[in-house]
Amino acid sequence: MSTLTLTVEAIRKTLSPPRLATYETAMSQHGRSDPQAALALYAWNAEISGTLLFPLHVCEVTIRNAVAEALEAIYGERWPWNEAFARTLKPISRAGLERSRGNLTLTSKVIPELKFSFWQQMFTRRHDERLWNGYLRQVLPNHDPQSTISTLREQIYADLEQIRTLRNRIAHHEPIFKRNLLQDYLIIRQSIDRRCPFTAEWMERNQRVTAVLPLRPAP
């Protein structure tokens, strides 16, 4: 057995055959059944996952700050401790808020403790009357002016669901190569642009997603 074969087998054992099976199957379907091809796809999947972290970072911070701005306008600077606000939440979101508050005393410290799903859930219909009818266009101003608030809010929720799913797969080191990653990236960019085109353009200039996407191993 060659040194290369031994090396490939050692890596395969370390990462685990079940984990690599997804990549081996993907390459074998296109006539490339050698383990090296699967490892090349695995390495690219990890690299593209890494490049997406920066756009995801900017997107999450952008969205949570937009929601926090709207909440502060209605419930005050200490909105995480406002009981009237807490009563508007679903039980799972309220539990998440209470857990994130912990022993903290500053809103600025609570915001980063809240999960992405909390911010996404703020874009459900239950918050239209209290929150979004008056503040969606204010905190996320770059929308089609002809669309209704409910239509815009539903689109934001759907986009955040796609972003959340991608984010979770990356966080758990799962395959993302089967996704339309360019579409994922464009939705992330659009989500940032809704609040601030300048921030979206800055992110665009500094991201590496579009440079790494074409480097995917054939096929």
Side-chain angles (χ1 to χ4, degrees), residues 197-216:
F198 299 105
T199 303
E201 291 169 8
W202 169 77
M203 185 278 293
E204 177 82 27
R205 290 194 302 271
N206 288 279
Q207 58 83 28
R208 294 185 59 251
V209 177
T210 53
V212 175
L213 271 174
L215 301 181
R216 173 176 170 161

Side-chain angles (χ1 to χ4, degrees), residues 60-145:
E60 181 168 355
V61 172
T62 297
I63 292 298
R64 72 192 191 192
N65 286 347
V67 177
E69 181 182 325
L71 291 173
E72 182 174 339
I74 298 173
Y75 299 105
E77 183 180 353
R78 290 182 57 78
W79 58 262
W81 293 272
N82 187 292
E83 186 59 27
F85 167 59
R87 287 197 298 268
T88 71
L89 301 174
K90 293 181 179 179
I92 190 169
S93 293
R94 179 163 184 165
L97 176 63
E98 292 171 352
R99 183 170 56 250
S100 297
R101 287 187 319 216
N103 295 320
L104 299 174
T105 58
L106 296 175
T107 299
S108 60
K109 298 296 184 181
V110 175
I111 289 172
E113 294 297 321
L114 289 162
K115 293 184 178 181
F116 190 88
S117 58
F118 175 88
W119 304 110
Q120 181 191 10
Q121 287 301 312
M122 291 305 303
F123 289 95
T124 53
R125 183 174 56 188
R126 68 193 294 123
H127 298 292
D128 279 356
E129 184 175 348
R130 300 180 191 89
L131 194 64
W132 298 127
N133 287 345
Y135 288 94
L136 190 141
R137 293 190 189 278
Q138 179 174 313
V139 301
L140 296 167
N142 299 310
H143 290 285
D144 178 1

